Amino acid sequence: MPRRQSIPRMTKYHTEPPNRTTARFTAKLMANGKRNLSDRILRQALARAEATAHRPGLEVLEAALRNATPIIEVKPRRVGGATYQVPVEIRGDRRLSLGVRWLVQAARKRNGKSMSDKLAQELVDTHKMAEANRAFSHFKW
């Protein structure tokens, strides 16, 4: 047993995520515990999305996530002998988790060179699709 307590050391290239959303994206992108690699992929994707969309990368990320997150979901509810699909509002954490999961899964299914390219294109395409369909927003109920 050591006589003195060990001092926690900071890694040389440790960076704090700018906000909770990027931390969630980094965690969802991570494979086999390689957080540094997933953080680098996200930073490269945000830089590419910024160059393509001509807006700040975090702004593109937030907009794409806002467009991909669901507001309500249906849950089965048994009444008597019948099962009804009842719409239920989703809590904030689950909304964020679903949106991040869907964007990362869609990026992984894309054809492309690197994951950062695929993620950047997915973010930009989601943002462009929402901008193009904004004219139909008066149909929501």
Side-chain angles (χ1 to χ4, degrees):
M1 189 160 130
R3 293 178 187 257
R4 60 182 176 165
Q5 302 240 342
S6 62
I7 300 168
R9 298 176 190 253
M10 295 292 286
T11 59
K12 188 175 180 182
Y13 301 107
H14 180 72
T15 58
E16 288 295 320
N19 59 21
R20 203 172 101 190
T21 306
T22 56
R24 288 271 183 107
F25 259 98
T26 302
K28 190 52 84 172
L29 279 171
M30 187 169 44
N32 299 326
K34 304 211 177 230
R35 183 175 293 274
N36 220 2
L37 177 63
S38 66
D39 189 39
R40 191 172 68 217
I41 288 171
L42 181 63
R43 277 189 273 120
Q44 289 173 353
L46 290 179
R48 287 188 176 121
E50 184 174 336
T52 306
H54 306 295
R55 295 175 71 185
L58 282 177
E59 192 175 308
V60 173
L61 175 71
E62 293 287 337
L65 191 58
R66 195 171 39 249
N67 295 325
T69 54
I71 298 169
I72 60 171
E73 66 180 344
V74 293
K75 292 200 171 188
R77 172 91 177 162
R78 185 146 179 129
V79 179
T83 304
Y84 298 109
Q85 297 291 333
V86 180
V88 179
E89 193 168 333
I90 305 176
R91 290 174 304 147
D93 284 345
R94 180 159 167 76
R95 288 177 62 184
L96 180 63
S97 178
L98 284 172
V100 169
R101 184 185 317 158
W102 291 345
L103 283 173
V104 170
Q105 284 176 352
R108 283 196 175 128
K109 287 180 185 175
R110 274 180 170 266
N111 294 327
K113 293 182 182 176
S114 66
M115 183 60 189
S116 57
D117 281 338
K118 294 190 285 187
L119 184 61
Q121 283 303 311
E122 188 62 37
L123 293 174
V124 170
D125 288 349
T126 304
H127 179 65
K128 281 183 180 176
M129 184 173 61
E131 288 293 322
N133 292 321
R134 191 169 30 168
F136 303 118
S137 65
H138 67 282
F139 286 124
K140 68 181 179 183
W141 38 276

